[in-house]
Amino acid sequence: MKVPLTALKKGESGIVASIKSSLGRGRCWGWGFQKRLVDMGLTPGTKVTMIKSAPFNGPIEVLVRGYRLVLGRGMAERILVEVQECPRKSSGSP
Amino acid sequence: MPKKKLRFALAGNANVGKSVIFNQLTGLHQHIGNWPGKTVEKAEGTLHFKGYTIDIIDLPGIYSLSTFSLEELITREYIATEKPDLVINVVDASVLERNLFFTLQLIELEAPLIIALNQMDMAEKKGIKIDYEKLEKILGVPVVPTVAIKGEGIYELLKRAIEVIEKKAIKPAAVKYGEEIEERIRRLIDALKDTQLKYPVRWIAIKLLEGDEQVEKEIEKLNPRILELAEKLAEEIEKIHGHPCPTVITSERYEAAGRIARNVQQILPRIKPSLRERIHTLTTHSVAGYLIMALVVLGIFQTIFSFGDYTSELLSDILYSYEPLFEQFLGSGFLKEIIWGGVMEGIIANITIALPYIIPFYIILYTLEDSGYMARIAFLTDTLMHKIGLHGKAFIPIMLGYGCNVPACLGCRIMETERERFLAAFVVTLIPCAARTVIILGLVGAFLGMQWALALYIIDLAIVFLLGRLAFKALPGEPTALIMEMPDYRIPHLKTIVKQTWFRLREFLEISFPLIIVSSVIIKLVEVYGLLKPLSQILSPITVNWLGLPEITGVTLIFGILRKELTLIMLAALLGTTNFQAVLTPLQMFVFTLVVMLYIPCIATIAACTREFGWKKALTITIIEILFAILAGGLAYRFLAVLNLLEH
């Protein structure tokens, strides 16, 4: 099942499936920011674990490739992940 | 024997201890400036080792060599065109995979390379063991383990660096992509072979497949047919993999980095989260995190203002005690007025602001930054900053702005794009700095009560959000999102903090010292020649008719441009009393302070903005803020008079 990265619960993991490009016209994140995400290690097939989500619809903190990455929510919503079955209990630390 | 000269560049991710290594290598022989025409800092230093004079350049901390940010562009251009004798790649041993992703790109750029495998102690604490000799063999690049913060491995690093240069013994192993990609790279290399390039040809071929804007532009100028070929080949790769070609290439590079990392490191799982992890959890907690942040921010202001007020007063008492001495030599005529009242008072103003307020501000700020706490603040304030089109990182320069707008403007460099930097700087200039706080507290706070002073701060915040939002809508370009590494907490390196503080202080003095002294002299001259009254009369339609202020305030507003706190000092001098109650109505005090708070960043801030963004943008900010302040002041005057909240 593919869900936005922001839908993962604390401690849950997912595998990056794709990064949605800009939705329709108007203001959108361009190629630069997508490339940035990939450069930070969020390539398709990478395992991502949710560590926590800041309140008031704030950014999320995930564990990817052994380090903690913070992503603005709007950005993170465009990353689609395949939820992994029976998430292992994670302490949320690299 | 003449000394042989070498040039080394330090490159690596952010938060890997690069600046600590830079400081360990160069000691006091360094200077910090800007890359020509860019708002990116350039740190250079020199060291002597085994008969060599080595210039070290500290390149910005980045994660990739694409065109995402100015820093990335500068780094790759420097390495490819300036061709340093050696690039020291500082690698964080505790996040090996992501760091090697960058290393592989340096190898692709065919940079002569040596690796400083830094923060070995942190890695060990996380249960990571790295076989660095094996890493050296796989990469074909010398690897030296270091703990920069303790100075461990630095000598060995230099020794190996010189060895490598003398023997010319580096044969790095470049990433091999899948055959379907390699084949297309070869075709592009073939097509490129007759063109003159400043970058390595294989690198250009890869970057063309990655759709790198800058490389595409350059190749288009040379031979647009190659660009067409590259686009066609990239499409073919996209069809094979089902993902955009740049993503495919980056993925493979990351796969290669991951393979190497897994091959050389052993990770022992730990049972208990460490102390630094528990602090991390606490400081990003949705309730406790905000409480701690509020305490930290309040603590900073409390410390700085109580320390600052005390030292500032002490220093000015000491410095003013020299006035009789000057009088003795210069008499009390024109010369004394200019030299003491102009030059010396300018110097005193500088010293009594710079030392007591700016030094502690920077020391605290860099300690928080170095320890990793700033990243937590960015995490917690991201939502708030989004309301004005910025992201969490902008909270830091904005906080700096409460101390002094000049360093805060320069601090906007931490934002990634030119647009964000400008937007953040615009917001920063609206933040009441220490000098404006003196007026708010000294006039409104003292005579109308603290609730009115607080009201001014709240109005200011509302205005910041209003104007910030408008500017965000008005400026062309992409909106921004927070993409940030959350570094582990670590103990800050005192020497690095002191040095950073010193360089920032020097930068501030360079900008503000001459301006403040010159402006002090100008004010004295105007005063001595009796031009104060005519100037006020010219401004009276605005001050008297629109803002409802006494005519004489006009001239104080003009001189407030030079130094904000002058408005209050001059007001007292011109009105002949510090008991402002006797000469101003409460409503006038409020309107006057509101206008002073908003109307313009002082001349030193304008200079800082000019330096960062050019005079056109600096002028735009200035004009917008003058007009806005006059508008807001006039409206407040009428509004409050109708409501009858303040006596008028």
Side-chain angles (χ1 to χ4, degrees):
Chain A
M1 184 184 58
K2 278 185 200 166
V3 297
L5 182 54
T6 43
L8 290 183
K9 289 182 197 71
K10 201 174 163 177
E12 235 177 6
S13 297
I15 302 289
V16 177
S18 61
I19 298 172
K20 266 197 276 184
S21 51
S22 41
L23 300 167
R25 294 254 151 237
R27 281 189 185 267
C28 54
W29 283 283
W31 174 239
F33 276 92
Q34 278 191 55
K35 174 89 175 86
R36 180 59 158 191
L37 288 175
V38 181
D39 273 345
M40 294 305 280
L42 289 167
T43 56
T46 309
K47 183 180 163 186
V48 192
T49 308
M50 175 67 88
I51 299 176
K52 81 169 51 161
S53 178
F56 316 118
N57 267 327
I60 59 163
E61 185 190 355
V62 293
L63 182 70
V64 56
R65 296 186 190 270
Y67 80 100
R68 298 194 198 93
L69 178 66
V70 173
L71 295 171
R73 181 161 295 262
M75 189 93 254
E77 273 166 358
R78 285 156 199 269
I79 303 169
L80 293 181
V81 295
E82 191 86 44
V83 184
Q84 279 199 315
E85 294 298 312
C86 53
R88 265 191 307 134
K89 194 108 181 87
S90 158
S91 65
S93 60
Chain B
M1 191 181 83
K3 282 196 168 172
K4 290 167 277 183
K5 280 192 84 82
L6 289 175
R7 226 155 19 100
F8 291 180
L10 283 168
N13 287 179
N15 307 310
V16 296
K18 208 160 54 63
S19 53
V20 179
I21 291 204
F22 178 69
N23 278 325
Q24 296 278 17
L25 286 173
T26 57
L28 285 168
H29 306 280
Q30 46 177 263
H31 87 266
I32 294 181
N34 271 12
W35 290 88
K38 305 269 167 56
T39 55
V40 178
E41 198 169 278
K42 182 184 190 185
E44 287 172 290
T46 319
L47 75 100
H48 301 278
F49 189 78
K50 296 199 167 169
Y52 288 96
T53 301
I54 308 171
D55 285 331
I56 309 249
I57 286 117
D58 189 13
L59 295 167
I62 51 175
Y63 298 95
S64 180
L65 288 176
S66 47
T67 44
F68 177 75
S69 66
L70 272 176
E71 281 83 356
E72 296 182 356
L73 276 175
I74 284 172
T75 301
R76 70 188 210 187
E77 222 170 276
Y78 180 81
I79 293 172
T81 58
E82 303 279 314
K83 297 202 185 304
D85 296 293
L86 193 67
V87 175
I88 300 174
N89 176 206
V90 184
V91 164
D92 180 357
S94 68
V95 194
L96 194 59
E97 186 177 349
R98 199 201 58 219
N99 277 263
L100 285 179
F101 171 73
F102 183 68
T103 307
L104 292 177
Q105 294 185 67
L106 288 175
I107 293 175
E108 245 164 28
L109 198 53
E110 293 171 20
L113 212 58
I114 179 171
I115 289 174
L117 192 59
N118 196 31
Q119 303 191 348
M120 287 296 276
D121 54 337
M122 297 264 281
E124 213 164 294
K125 276 189 196 138
K126 281 166 120 183
I128 300 171
K129 268 187 75 171
I130 297 172
D131 184 346
Y132 62 90
E133 282 161 344
K134 196 169 175 188
L135 181 62
E136 179 166 326
K137 234 176 253 157
I138 295 176
L139 288 174
V141 172
V143 177
V144 182
T146 56
V147 182
I149 206 158
K150 294 181 193 147
E152 285 170 26
I154 302 295
Y155 179 83
E156 179 69 19
L157 180 68
L158 273 176
K159 215 178 81 188
R160 286 292 295 275
I162 298 294
E163 265 175 37
V164 163
I165 289 201
E166 286 175 347
K167 289 184 192 150
K168 301 197 184 320
I170 327 172
K171 291 204 172 48
V175 184
K176 270 262 196 238
Y177 298 93
E179 186 46 39
E180 76 287 357
I181 299 172
E182 283 292 339
E183 185 213 315
R184 289 172 176 83
I185 293 174
R186 279 196 297 274
R187 281 177 62 187
L188 274 176
I189 291 176
D190 208 44
L192 282 162
K193 72 176 178 245
D194 296 326
T195 35
Q196 277 289 321
L197 303 163
K198 60 177 182 176
Y199 292 98
V201 63
R202 181 179 160 87
W203 188 82
I204 291 274
I206 295 169
K207 283 290 155 190
L208 281 175
L209 289 178
E210 281 189 272
D212 186 288
E213 276 174 34
Q214 198 211 16
V215 171
E216 279 181 350
K217 249 183 239 154
E218 269 171 48
I219 296 299
E220 194 170 20
K221 268 186 276 172
L222 296 171
N223 188 348
R225 298 249 305 277
I226 297 177
L227 201 62
E228 279 164 34
L229 175 67
E231 271 161 23
K232 192 184 79 122
L233 295 174
E235 256 169 55
E236 287 170 15
I237 293 173
E238 182 167 344
K239 246 178 227 148
I240 297 171
H241 285 266
H243 289 291
C245 183
T247 306
V248 174
I249 289 180
T250 309
S251 286
E252 293 213 7
R253 210 180 275 138
Y254 251 115
E255 279 321 302
R259 259 197 315 276
I260 298 170
R262 281 189 295 277
N263 211 331
V264 299
Q265 72 182 3
Q266 244 187 323
I267 303 177
L268 307 168
R270 273 160 327 133
I271 312 115
K272 227 170 63 182
S274 66
L275 178 64
R276 68 181 85 226
E277 271 156 34
R278 276 188 297 211
I279 298 176
H280 169 70
T281 311
L282 193 67
T283 48
T284 52
H285 188 269
S286 53
V287 180
Y290 285 98
L291 278 174
I292 294 170
M293 186 178 83
L295 285 177
V296 168
V297 172
L298 284 175
I300 294 173
F301 287 126
Q302 179 62 35
T303 314
I304 287 164
F305 282 111
S306 54
F307 175 86
D309 285 349
Y310 176 77
T311 353
S312 181
E313 219 162 286
L314 196 73
L315 281 169
S316 89
D317 282 351
I318 295 172
L319 292 167
Y320 272 106
S321 70
Y322 288 104
E323 190 171 357
L325 196 73
F326 273 77
E327 218 156 305
Q328 222 172 4
F329 281 104
L330 302 167
S332 52
F334 179 75
L335 204 60
K336 185 252 168 186
E337 280 294 311
I338 295 302
I339 292 191
W340 177 264
V343 178
M344 279 310 288
E345 285 199 3
I347 292 174
I348 292 172
N350 248 307
I351 291 174
T352 51
I353 293 175
L355 298 178
Y357 295 102
I358 293 182
I359 293 178
F361 212 107
Y362 272 131
I363 290 183
I364 294 174
L365 196 84
Y366 280 118
T367 308
L368 292 182
E369 168 96 55
D370 222 40
S371 65
Y373 187 62
M374 282 303 178
R376 275 76 188 174
I377 290 188
F379 178 72
L380 293 173
T381 57
D382 188 54
T383 310
L384 188 67
M385 290 295 112
H386 262 291
K387 302 264 183 279
I388 46 173
L390 290 165
H391 60 62
K393 283 191 196 168
F395 192 75
I396 297 152
I398 288 175
M399 241 179 64
L400 259 174
Y402 280 98
C404 174
N405 283 187
V406 173
C409 273
L410 305 177
C412 292
R413 287 174 192 174
I414 57 162
M415 309 304 290
E416 285 95 347
T417 62
E418 200 69 38
R419 176 179 186 270
E420 289 176 276
R421 282 174 202 191
F422 180 62
L423 195 54
F426 175 63
V427 169
V428 155
T429 57
L430 290 166
I431 299 291
C433 60
R436 282 180 262 187
T437 300
V438 166
I439 299 163
I440 294 170
L441 296 184
L443 197 59
V444 170
F447 293 98
L448 304 182
M450 281 319 275
Q451 72 275 18
W452 286 99
L454 199 65
L456 276 173
Y457 276 103
I458 293 168
I459 290 172
D460 185 70
L461 279 179
I463 287 168
V464 162
F465 275 87
L466 178 75
L467 288 189
R469 254 201 110 67
L470 283 177
F472 166 60
K473 298 262 189 230
L475 281 174
E478 289 176 1
T480 56
L482 184 65
I483 306 177
M484 172 186 77
E485 177 190 5
M486 180 72 87
D488 286 319
Y489 274 118
R490 57 180 177 197
I491 301 196
H493 187 239
L494 187 67
K495 259 198 205 155
T496 305
I497 290 169
V498 169
K499 244 173 233 166
Q500 277 166 322
T501 303
W502 161 239
F503 285 121
R504 284 288 93 85
L505 181 70
R506 211 174 60 183
E507 198 170 35
F508 167 78
L509 292 178
E510 274 169 17
I511 292 179
S512 80
F513 223 95
L515 281 173
I516 294 185
I517 292 173
V518 168
S519 54
S520 288
V521 173
I522 294 173
I523 293 169
K524 270 293 156 194
L525 285 173
V526 170
E527 197 186 315
V528 170
Y529 286 112
L531 294 171
L532 290 175
K533 246 200 131 51
L535 274 174
S536 292
Q537 274 161 356
I538 297 171
L539 284 179
S540 70
I542 294 171
T543 47
V544 179
N545 301 345
W546 172 246
L547 296 171
L549 296 171
E551 189 182 275
I552 201 69
T553 52
V555 77
T556 65
L557 289 176
I558 292 182
F559 289 120
I561 297 170
L562 305 173
R563 271 159 52 201
K564 279 276 165 103
E565 75 280 12
L566 262 183
T567 48
L568 196 63
I569 298 167
M570 282 189 76
L571 198 63
L574 293 172
L575 295 170
T577 174
T578 49
N579 183 19
F580 295 109
Q581 247 167 333
V583 281
L584 293 172
T585 67
L587 181 59
Q588 284 177 328
M589 287 189 212
F590 187 83
V591 171
F592 179 76
T593 312
L594 180 69
V595 173
V596 169
M597 183 173 79
L598 294 174
Y599 77 109
I600 203 178
C602 67
I603 196 162
T605 308
I606 299 173
C609 283
T610 309
R611 188 160 145 168
E612 295 293 288
F613 308 106
W615 64 270
K616 273 189 200 154
K617 283 181 175 169
L619 195 68
T620 312
I621 290 184
T622 308
I623 291 172
I624 287 177
E625 285 175 13
I626 292 179
L627 294 179
F628 185 81
I630 293 172
L631 179 75
L635 289 180
Y637 168 57
R638 282 162 182 77
F639 196 59
L640 288 171
V642 170
L643 287 181
N644 226 353
L645 286 171
L646 282 169
E647 203 184 309
H648 52 94

